[in-house]
């Protein structure tokens, strides 16, 4: 969608009584219009939350999100919290973001999103200390969703509810 279509969509949602827009899917920060759309939605007093892989969360982007009054920013830990280049970038960006948020006395909430699977359940125990180290406000646990490409990997990733409860 172009910027005009995005703005019309926000107007439509607001006019229909929706008070909250949650940007996710793909990478919201990759949109060339994301800041304009957020700014417009905030003028309509909408709550703005974003799910991101946090790889594009530069210092400039962090400041813009704070200045625009984004309500929550959640960084997805892509399936694993094992150390790798992407993980390190996400961790570094989120740590900087939370430090900037604190310096700016921002009320923006930050979160880590972790999708539980058979492959990473044993890593769940690492999340509380990681969240504390980064200064995030929330940990969001999700389960593997059986749709799209996920159907191909169902046996590899799907986890039993009791196993999740035991791990927690």
């Amino acid at each position: 969608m172009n910027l005009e279509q995005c703005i019309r969509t926000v107007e439509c949602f607001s006019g229909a009584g929706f008070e909250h827009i949650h940007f996710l899917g793909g990478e919201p920060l990759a949109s060339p219009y994301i800041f304009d759309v957020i700014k417009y939605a905030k003028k309509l007093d909408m709550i703005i939350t974003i799910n991101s892989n946090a790889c594009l969360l530069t210092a400039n982007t962090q400041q813009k999100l704070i200045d625009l009054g984004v309500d929550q920013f959640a960084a997805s830990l892509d399936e694993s919290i094992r150390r790798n280049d992407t993980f390190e970038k996400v961790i570094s960006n989120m740590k900087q973001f939370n430090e900037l948020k604190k310096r700016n006395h921002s009320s923006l909430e930050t979160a880590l999103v972790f999708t539980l699977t058979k492959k990473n359940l044993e890593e769940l125990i690492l999340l509380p200390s990681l969240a504390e180290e980064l200064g995030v406000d929330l940990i969001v646990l999700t389960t593997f969703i059986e749709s799209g490409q996920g159907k191909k990997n169902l046996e590899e990733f799907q986890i039993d509810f009791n196993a999740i409860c035991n791990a927690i």
Side-chain angles (χ1 to χ4, degrees), residues 32-151:
Y33 313 118
I34 190 68
F35 301 116
D36 294 319
V37 174
I38 291 170
K39 183 176 182 178
Y40 187 76
K42 289 306 282 185
K43 283 183 183 177
L44 298 174
D45 292 322
M46 297 185 86
I47 295 167
I48 302 297
T49 56
I50 300 172
N51 267 49
S52 168
N53 65 21
C55 289
L56 300 177
L57 192 59
T58 63
N60 186 43
T61 298
Q62 294 168 18
Q63 190 64 59
K64 283 182 181 178
L65 294 173
I66 290 169
D67 291 345
L68 288 170
V70 168
D71 297 282
Q72 184 185 80
F73 185 89
S76 293
L77 297 179
D78 219 357
E79 182 191 319
S80 176
I81 60 173
R82 291 186 188 98
R83 305 288 174 181
N84 61 49
D85 291 344
T86 301
F87 175 80
E88 293 299 332
K89 185 171 191 161
V90 170
I91 295 309
S92 174
N93 288 349
M94 287 302 288
K95 192 170 194 172
Q96 291 172 3
F97 193 25
N98 280 299
E99 289 168 359
L100 181 64
K101 177 182 94 157
K102 199 174 196 177
R103 285 193 307 273
N104 281 262
H105 307 286
S106 171
S107 62
L108 180 145
E109 285 185 329
T110 55
L112 294 178
V113 179
F114 189 69
T115 301
L116 296 164
T117 70
K118 285 180 187 176
K119 292 181 123 186
N120 68 11
L121 189 60
E122 72 282 352
E123 297 178 18
L124 179 60
I125 197 165
L126 303 173
L127 274 177
S129 60
L130 178 61
E132 185 175 23
E133 174 188 336
L134 300 179
V136 299
D137 302 296
L138 305 165
I139 295 173
V140 179
L141 300 177
T142 64
T143 56
F144 181 74
I145 298 173
E146 181 187 336
S147 67
Q149 292 295 322
K151 288 182 181 180

Side-chain angles (χ1 to χ4, degrees), residues 5-15 21 23 37 40-41 44 46:
Q5 292 168 318
C6 293
I7 296 296
R8 280 200 323 260
T9 301
V10 169
E11 285 175 343
C12 181
F13 287 146
S14 179
I21 295 181
F23 294 99
V37 174
Y40 187 76
L44 298 174
M46 297 185 86

